[in-house]
Amino acid sequence: MKNYASKSLAILMFMVVLLPVLPTLAGSVSVPSAAVAGNSQKLVKSRLAEEAPLRQVVFLDDRWTIRNPANGETRGELRLPFSFYAENEFLLETTFEVNFEPGEEVRLIFGMLNGAFSIRLNDSTIARERRRYMPFEMALPQGMLKNGANTLQVVFSDGLDKAADKPQSSLINLPRINSGIFTGAYISIAPRYRIVELLAGVNSDSVVTSIGSMKLNRPLPDSLGYRVAFKLLAANGSVFRQTDEATADRDVFQLPSWNLSALPGWSHDSPATYQIEARLMNTEGDVDILRIPFAVRDNRFHERLAQKELQLRGINYVY
């Protein structure tokens, strides 16, 4: 009995440390410290600079106003990421500035969300969604989006099951299912001609070779000398393979079939990882760059019943 009591006290203290509460609403709001939020933003900024270095990014984490959905009354402020628990609607509002050219894509990207919510841009509802700890993103309608200052609102409703309603699904140390935005938010601005998809894998019929494709948002014009280039990069940035290809008025291009047999593979002790880079260029320079992580791994396992040795070759994709 004494051991059980001491363990329960440790768990209670752990929860108190992790869940600071702001008593500004009927319910509770949990937010990180400024240092934690700033470090999280640095990590996201570093990742985006590596994945798509030419695209503009506007972070939306710093200041959100909490309002009463019924009358717009200000209830307080918070920064992202955050979580909350309340029995009624919860409205967040922020302003941001963007400058974009016709044809450029402006995307709103939230990290992991939980809750039923609607999104308003400049007083117009542009989305109604429900997420269970999954990301959400969408292209902002340019007819509603303005060059300069814009107002963004996110209204969470009490639309998810509570842990108390389904005790069998309750998590340890999580007495209720909180709603919120758990990994921040940002705006991404992509060029008029851009890479929308980059896929890569391996073919191991005889030798290990690369397979995959890149897709653009539209076929390219013959003018300005558009072309694409693919690279396989090591962690230190050196180029293993490279090839250029004329666009020929297409929007889908196949990844070159590179022989990867001599490439060091991924293992637990020596996790060799690489990047596949797709680059869109014209006579004036680089237009768009997109990179994805890539690795090659050789697995062997034995089927218990038949005792037959099987070999599996493939890639590890870090999502």
Side-chain angles (χ1 to χ4, degrees):
M1 184 65 179
K2 185 180 295 183
N3 290 339
Y4 178 81
S6 63
K7 289 181 181 178
S8 300
L9 178 60
I11 292 175
L12 177 61
M13 293 176 63
F14 176 74
M15 289 177 62
V16 170
V17 171
L18 283 187
L19 298 177
V21 172
L22 301 179
T24 56
L25 293 175
S28 64
V29 180
S30 177
V31 298
S33 68
V36 171
N39 186 60
S40 175
Q41 189 177 103
K42 287 180 181 178
L43 294 174
V44 175
K45 185 180 295 186
S46 176
R47 176 178 61 82
L48 295 175
E50 186 69 23
E51 292 179 357
L54 299 184
R55 301 186 183 185
Q56 301 178 54
V57 177
V58 179
F59 284 94
L60 305 177
D61 294 346
D62 290 340
R63 177 174 293 182
W64 289 73
T65 301
I66 307 172
R67 297 194 184 280
N68 185 329
N71 56 24
E73 176 187 353
T74 299
R75 295 292 186 84
E77 290 185 346
L78 56 74
R79 70 178 68 89
L80 302 186
F82 89 108
S83 65
F84 77 95
Y85 175 76
E87 297 297 336
N88 46 24
E89 287 191 329
F90 191 96
L91 189 153
L92 296 178
E93 179 181 292
T94 191
T95 59
F96 64 92
E97 290 195 8
V98 291
N99 293 289
F100 59 93
E101 300 293 334
E104 291 184 334
E105 182 185 54
V106 183
R107 295 191 72 82
L108 170 64
I109 301 172
F110 287 104
M112 184 172 64
L113 291 117
N114 189 58
F117 59 93
S118 61
I119 297 176
R120 301 172 185 166
L121 176 64
N122 298 325
D123 296 324
S124 296
T125 299
I126 58 174
R128 287 187 175 89
E129 295 287 337
R130 179 189 296 260
R131 288 291 188 277
R132 291 185 181 274
Y133 302 99
M134 293 291 291
F136 170 78
E137 65 177 85
M138 66 173 296
L140 295 179
Q142 293 201 5
M144 302 177 185
L145 187 67
K146 299 181 294 188
N147 260 311
N150 294 266
T151 300
L152 181 69
Q153 293 181 326
V154 182
V155 183
F156 284 92
S157 60
D158 189 38
L160 286 183
D161 297 330
K162 303 297 185 298
D165 299 331
K166 295 184 176 181
Q168 70 276 12
S169 66
S170 299
L171 301 177
I172 297 175
N173 291 341
L174 186 61
R176 56 183 177 245
I177 299 177
N178 284 5
S179 296
I181 305 170
F182 298 98
T183 51
Y186 60 92
I187 299 288
S188 174
I189 305 176
R192 180 182 181 188
Y193 293 104
R194 56 190 173 272
I195 303 166
V196 296
E197 184 178 72
L198 178 58
L199 304 174
V202 296
N203 184 350
S204 58
D205 289 340
S206 54
V207 297
V208 179
T209 57
S210 57
I211 57 174
S213 63
M214 177 194 74
K215 181 176 176 58
L216 304 177
N217 66 310
R218 67 181 76 179
L220 298 170
D222 294 331
S223 60
L224 295 180
Y226 281 100
R227 59 196 180 101
V228 299
F230 295 101
K231 296 180 182 179
L232 177 62
L233 306 176
N236 60 7
S238 63
V239 178
F240 273 81
R241 304 284 190 274
Q242 179 176 349
T243 184
D244 294 345
E245 183 176 345
T247 60
D249 197 33
R250 292 183 291 148
D251 61 353
V252 176
F253 301 87
Q254 298 304 309
L255 190 69
S257 181
W258 296 318
N259 187 336
L260 306 178
S261 300
L263 203 66
W266 187 97
S267 68
H268 182 271
D269 297 326
S270 179
T273 57
Y274 309 92
Q275 286 183 325
I276 297 291
E277 176 189 281
R279 187 180 296 251
L280 176 63
M281 303 168 287
N282 61 20
T283 55
E284 298 179 356
D286 292 329
V287 177
D288 196 19
I289 299 173
L290 189 62
R291 303 184 182 115
I292 60 173
F294 183 84
V296 179
R297 184 174 184 179
D298 189 346
N299 287 333
R300 298 183 183 185
F301 59 92
H302 292 274
E303 189 176 357
R304 290 188 176 182
L305 296 179
Q307 293 296 314
K308 179 181 179 181
E309 184 173 348
L310 302 174
Q311 188 174 11
L312 175 66
R313 291 184 178 179
I315 64 170
N316 283 42
Y317 181 72
V318 183
Y319 185 70

